[in-house]
Amino acid sequence: MIVSIINKSTNELPAYETVASAGLDIRAHLEEMVSLQPFERKLIKTGLFLEIPQGYEAQVRPRSGLALKHGITVLNTPGTIDADYRGEIGVILINLSQEVFEIQPGDRIAQLVFAKVEQAEWTQVNVLSETERGAGGFGSTGKK
């Protein structure tokens, strides 16, 4: 899959860190440091614009190190970037810790994962097929 990209930031293009990496690290495109107060959320721009092939999406996901060490995560995880979106990629970060977190220009803030997607076609019916679970509760594990 080939993805066209415009990079208006001073950061390098997103890259896979290892040969088996699923996600590409994306970086903050900032003029100056941004503080993220406890329980505050902000849209952090990346300076990246993508042309994703039809039939694919890009998913914006948190970085595990930021989540574990600092309580920083992506608010709408995973965020979906549709193939027909041409605007700048932004990442909604939230600080779930009790400490102020500083985001520096060029910091790695999230990951992009590309995935194939299919569009569904509806068939309206009056009855659905039977299964062993049936209408078993949301989140049901089968345990009492």
Side-chain angles (χ1 to χ4, degrees):
M1 174 187 65
I2 296 174
V3 177
S4 298
I5 186 168
I6 294 172
N7 184 3
K8 292 187 178 180
S9 78
T10 57
N11 301 319
E12 295 179 14
L13 290 178
Y16 295 102
E17 295 296 318
T18 68
V19 296
S21 292
L24 302 116
D25 286 336
I26 53 176
R27 298 176 181 272
H29 175 55
L30 302 170
E31 297 289 325
E32 57 189 23
M33 183 268 301
V34 170
S35 291
L36 198 56
Q37 301 297 318
F39 301 101
E40 183 181 25
R41 64 187 179 272
K42 286 188 178 172
L43 179 66
I44 306 298
K45 299 290 187 158
T46 64
L48 301 175
F49 300 75
L50 306 179
E51 185 175 324
I52 301 165
Q54 190 168 347
Y56 290 86
E57 67 165 331
Q59 298 174 359
V60 180
R61 298 184 183 187
R63 296 192 67 242
S64 58
L66 285 179
L68 178 63
K69 296 174 188 171
H70 304 286
I72 305 299
T73 192
V74 176
L75 192 55
N76 61 324
T77 301
T80 292
I81 303 169
D82 295 312
D84 58 354
Y85 177 69
R86 295 295 185 267
E88 182 175 4
I89 304 305
V91 178
I92 305 169
L93 291 182
I94 188 166
N95 182 353
L96 298 177
S97 78
Q98 301 292 330
E99 318 252 331
V100 175
F101 183 75
E102 295 180 348
I103 305 163
Q104 301 291 337
D107 278 357
R108 294 182 295 168
I109 57 170
Q111 296 183 78
L112 278 183
V113 174
F114 290 94
K116 281 189 167 204
V117 293
E118 298 208 23
Q119 291 185 329
E121 291 184 33
W122 297 113
T123 299
Q124 193 165 352
V125 298
N126 292 320
V127 178
L128 300 176
S129 64
E130 296 287 329
T131 67
E132 186 176 328
R133 179 178 179 181
F138 177 79
S140 173
T141 62
K143 296 182 181 179
K144 304 251 180 211

